[in-house]
Amino acid sequence: TEAEFMEKYGGHVARGGIFIATRATKPEGTQLSFEIILLDGSRLMRGEGVVQRVTVDEQPGRSGMLVRFTRIDARTRALLDQVLAAREGVAAPDTVAAQPTAAAPEPITTSFTPPPQPAPKRGPLALADDVVLGVDLGTTTPRAAVFLDGAARMVPIPSERGAAMPSIVAWDEGRGKLLVGGAAKLHRVEHPQSTLWGFKRLLGRRARSRKVKEIARRLPFKVEADPEGDAGIELGGRVFSIPELAAELLKVVKDAAQSMLGRELSRAVLCVPAWYSDHQRAALLDAGRLAGLEVLRVLNEPSAVALAFGHGRGLARKRVLVYDLGGGTFDASVVEITGDDLEVVSTGGDAFLGGVDFDERLAEALINTLPEAARLRVFDSAMIVERVRDASEVTKIALSDKEKAGLHVPFVTTDEADEPVDLKRDVARAYLEQLTADLVERTAQVTQVVLDAAKLTPQSLDEVLLVGGQSRAPAVRRRMEALLGRAARSDVDPQGAVALGAALLGQSLVMRERGKRGLTLSEVLSAPIGVAVKGGGVRRILERNTRLPAEKTLAVPVEAGKVVKVAVFQGAAARAEDNEYLGALHATCDRSGELGLRFAVSADGRLVLSATSPTGKSAEMTFTTADASDEVHAQLLAEAPLPGEADPQQKGLLTGLRRLFGR
């Protein structure tokens, strides 16, 4: 207890430092951070220091390190004042009792002077280096949390007018700089073509992909290829990569957390939709790096929700369905929770389904109520359409709590007499639900697929968690209750659960660094990974819902000196071009035989490729993620003769390889 610490170990501390009794000492000059935890788990002292002197003595309690404080937190400073006030013969500000009085009748004191040798060249140690930022970089709103004083807590992110900060970045031509959050949202009303929103749908996607081309036609801003061939945004005459723009949001989130804690943060856990491909996860890592964050883990959003729900409850093997319908994406996962251990059973989602689609449906329907001439003029103006969408979002949110809500957008256009025309309507909840019934049904279909993939029935679920802002809609809850035969839990924060779960995982990673037990999380592969074959098809290497980490090797016949080319894709579609292109692998062998291509996926869904030559050595290999031409999707994977002898089973495999390589 605190009282016992003061009684037994008060002689160890002074204003300038602390004596740490240990035989596992560090060299003099070592920078370190320290923390003293009481029996009840609460933090007593925390700070940073430099080892000034090492004492080695055979007598118990005399060996240890004299540590000079370089930085301590406010609680530690207050405790030192309390200890010194209670102890007779208070040490001077620049002295420290080097040994406990019980072990040494004549305590050793020493002046805190810099050590004679230079300190090791290391980066500055942040106070409370154990704080890891958990971030949900949502399509419509970013949220963050940290683990502090024994619990995960939301980080208040300042924004205009007290509303949540929107995930919007804009280019201000007049000032020649980027705007973020509320300022960017105001800018969007008059300059939609220079304002990026909904970037999460484009992050890490190839600019030439069919889906990007399809959605780009409906966006007011211009989508162009960045230097890596990914979708980028042209703002102010320059093409910004999506990670660059996402990093601007992360910087604001990071600054908010630092203001809350009063110190710098450098580490984070970032959350992604479960269906994000390897390339999309890599793009988010780039955004974190550009924001000055070391990303410890990329965490799937449904898993983060399950962590937030299960933490501290002591659940005994509960099977939970997480339904996450956010602003721009939808995920569904079945997770088994036992205590603080989680195992994902099945996962799925829709990359282009979320609250913004509900907003767009309502906005389009309301614009269509105008006379034809006025309607056409509104649709011709991206600025006016954005105004109607913003008003539709406000009305939609209000209809989650009310049966009817008003919408008023003044001066949307003019009539034939050049008089101003307002868009003013009373919108009933039933009308909105009729407009968006098919969107709700799409989420139900994905949820059913997730259950079917794990051979589960609704009756095999113990709990249902609905999260994400759009999940608050009454129509969503009714449809899920009808599908699953049970009501969803109401004690989960629908908007903050993802960030809270990320903060909990961050704390667990810190505990493991200290050699203590943290929670365990087992994920599955959300979408198959495969290679392109002749004719534009895909051969799957790793199937959906494969337990992670996982690896598999593909044996490819090769000829000496001949380059093997492999186009790698991720997705469930039968044709390569309908999946996400991850990159092209080129390998060369100095001997004919079989090249072993190893596909390894990490615990957080990152793909690593390697190749082994016919001699058993690592083969010369390059993997480029630059965008491929349309012809690459149909080219041969490899051209090599098949070995002449094989047993019947091997012959069947080689026949399959022959078809695979078009030989």
Side-chain angles (χ1 to χ4, degrees):
T1 66
E2 184 173 333
E4 289 172 330
F5 174 85
M6 293 176 63
E7 178 184 351
K8 295 181 180 181
Y9 306 109
H12 284 263
V13 298
R15 294 187 191 278
I18 184 171
F19 176 80
I20 301 175
T22 177
R23 292 189 179 275
T25 59
K26 302 291 184 182
E28 293 181 0
T30 301
Q31 292 178 300
L32 52 80
S33 57
F34 66 88
E35 187 175 49
I36 297 175
I37 306 295
L38 296 177
L39 185 62
D40 63 2
S42 62
R43 182 184 291 114
L44 180 69
M45 298 180 66
R46 179 172 63 179
E48 299 164 8
V50 176
V51 178
Q52 179 174 332
R53 195 179 74 188
V54 174
T55 302
V56 179
D57 198 306
E58 293 300 324
Q59 298 184 45
R62 282 189 173 273
S63 291
M65 302 177 291
L66 190 65
V67 178
R68 174 173 58 86
F69 295 147
T70 57
R71 191 176 181 189
I72 55 177
D73 64 8
R75 175 173 172 75
T76 301
R77 190 174 296 109
L79 178 69
L80 294 178
D81 292 340
Q82 185 180 357
V83 170
L84 297 175
R87 190 173 71 202
E88 291 186 3
V90 177
D94 62 345
T95 63
V96 62
Q99 301 287 354
T101 55
E106 297 181 10
I108 302 171
T109 59
T110 179
S111 173
F112 278 104
T113 57
Q117 69 271 34
K121 293 183 178 180
R122 298 173 56 186
L125 289 171
L127 181 62
D129 196 40
D130 54 352
V131 178
V132 177
L133 182 63
V135 182
D136 171 19
L137 202 57
T139 306
T140 54
T141 304
R143 300 186 189 276
V146 293
F147 191 89
L148 192 62
D149 297 329
R153 306 177 187 278
M154 296 298 297
V155 173
I157 303 176
S159 187
E160 291 75 5
R161 303 177 185 176
M165 188 185 89
S167 298
I168 301 178
V169 180
W171 176 258
D172 187 330
E173 188 70 37
R175 288 182 280 181
K177 69 172 189 176
L178 289 170
L179 305 176
V180 182
K185 186 173 184 177
L186 291 174
H187 185 83
R188 183 177 74 166
V189 175
E190 295 186 6
H191 307 280
Q193 71 284 352
S194 60
T195 306
L196 171 66
W197 48 269
F199 75 90
K200 200 169 177 179
R201 291 181 167 183
L202 296 172
L203 180 67
R205 290 187 177 273
R206 300 299 180 183
R208 297 172 63 102
S209 75
R210 181 179 299 175
K211 195 65 180 180
V212 168
K213 291 178 180 178
E214 178 185 322
I215 65 174
R217 290 193 291 267
R218 307 197 307 267
L219 298 173
F221 46 84
K222 193 172 182 181
V223 178
E224 295 285 354
D226 70 10
E228 298 298 321
D230 290 345
I233 308 300
E234 184 179 310
L235 300 174
R238 173 193 161 188
V239 176
F240 287 85
S241 71
I242 305 292
E244 282 183 278
L245 300 174
E248 295 300 316
L249 288 170
L250 284 174
K251 289 175 184 177
V252 174
V253 171
K254 177 184 174 184
D255 289 345
Q258 292 180 156
S259 297
M260 172 184 174
L261 298 172
R263 56 171 295 275
E264 292 185 359
L265 281 173
S266 61
R267 304 196 294 177
V269 171
L270 303 184
C271 294
V272 297
W275 44 262
Y276 253 25
S277 70
D278 168 76
H279 195 64
Q280 289 174 292
R281 292 167 192 264
L284 186 62
L285 288 175
D286 287 343
R289 177 181 53 80
L290 292 171
L293 291 169
E294 176 192 357
V295 182
L296 302 183
R297 180 77 181 261
V298 176
L299 176 63
N300 289 342
E301 290 168 3
S303 301
V305 173
L307 285 175
F309 169 71
H311 180 71
R313 292 178 183 263
L315 300 178
R317 197 171 176 78
K318 293 289 185 181
R319 188 175 288 147
V320 177
L321 172 72
V322 179
Y323 172 106
D324 184 1
L325 183 58
T329 61
F330 171 64
D331 283 313
S333 291
V334 176
V335 185
E336 288 187 352
I337 306 175
T338 304
D340 286 337
D341 298 335
L342 282 83
E343 181 177 334
V344 179
V345 177
S346 178
T347 191
D350 191 323
F352 298 95
L353 177 59
V356 293
D357 301 290
F358 288 71
D359 304 338
E360 188 173 337
R361 283 287 179 86
L362 180 57
E364 185 175 340
L366 293 175
I367 293 173
N368 281 328
T369 64
L370 295 170
E372 183 178 2
R375 180 170 69 246
L376 294 176
R377 284 194 293 271
V378 170
F379 279 127
D380 283 341
S381 171
M383 179 178 72
I384 296 175
V385 170
E386 289 304 314
R387 289 175 59 203
V388 178
R389 280 180 179 163
D390 285 347
S392 297
E393 179 187 8
V394 173
T395 301
K396 178 200 71 175
I397 293 172
L399 290 173
S400 292
D401 299 314
K402 298 188 286 187
E403 292 291 337
K404 184 176 290 188
L407 177 142
H408 183 202
V409 184
F411 198 7
V412 293
T413 185
T414 56
D415 59 18
E416 295 179 356
D418 207 26
E419 293 294 323
V421 174
D422 291 358
L423 180 59
K424 189 174 184 179
R425 302 286 186 273
D426 285 330
V427 182
R429 179 192 291 174
Y431 178 67
L432 174 64
E433 291 180 352
Q434 179 184 357
L435 290 173
T436 57
D438 64 310
L439 301 180
V440 176
E441 188 59 31
R442 278 168 60 187
T443 71
Q445 292 171 0
V446 171
T447 302
Q448 187 63 59
V449 168
V450 169
L451 292 174
D452 292 344
K455 296 182 172 59
L456 296 174
T457 64
Q459 292 72 31
S460 61
L461 300 173
D462 295 304
E463 302 288 356
V464 176
L465 311 180
L466 299 189
V467 294
Q470 191 58 48
S471 73
R472 295 181 61 248
V476 168
R477 291 187 168 266
R478 289 198 309 271
R479 182 65 184 95
M480 286 303 102
E481 288 178 8
L483 174 66
L484 304 172
R486 68 176 65 239
R489 296 287 297 239
S490 59
D491 55 348
V492 179
D493 181 353
Q495 296 175 318
V498 173
L500 292 169
L504 288 169
L505 179 60
Q507 174 65 11
S508 176
L509 295 174
V510 169
M511 297 296 287
R512 289 184 177 277
E513 287 178 355
R514 297 176 181 168
K516 300 180 181 179
R517 186 185 185 279
L519 59 87
T520 60
L521 172 62
S522 176
E523 296 272 17
V524 295
L525 188 63
S526 60
I529 293 176
V531 294
V533 295
K534 185 177 181 180
V538 174
R539 170 170 174 165
R540 293 184 181 180
I541 306 301
L542 291 166
E543 291 289 349
R544 174 189 175 189
N545 286 336
T546 298
R547 181 76 45 211
L548 300 180
E551 64 177 72
K552 195 169 182 180
T553 300
L554 175 67
V556 179
V558 293
E559 291 180 1
K562 190 168 184 179
V563 178
V564 177
K565 300 177 182 179
V566 180
V568 183
F569 291 82
Q570 187 166 12
R575 294 192 58 79
E577 61 186 356
D578 296 328
N579 295 302
E580 284 298 310
Y581 172 71
L582 300 185
L585 183 147
H586 302 258
T588 307
C589 296
D590 55 3
R591 193 171 117 184
S592 298
E594 284 190 347
L595 176 73
L597 299 182
R598 178 176 172 267
F599 294 73
V601 183
S602 66
D604 56 358
R606 295 300 320 282
L607 174 65
V608 176
L609 292 170
S610 59
T612 304
S613 71
T615 60
K617 298 180 180 180
S618 295
E620 180 182 344
M621 185 191 77
T622 59
F623 185 71
T624 174
T625 58
D627 202 4
S629 66
D630 294 336
E631 291 77 17
V632 142
H633 298 164
Q635 78 178 62
L636 289 176
L637 253 181
E639 296 178 359
L642 297 175
E645 53 184 12
D647 60 30
Q649 183 177 357
Q650 184 70 7
K651 185 176 181 180
L653 173 63
L654 296 179
T655 301
L657 287 171
R658 183 184 296 276
R659 295 195 189 100
L660 175 64
F661 302 134
R663 297 299 304 266

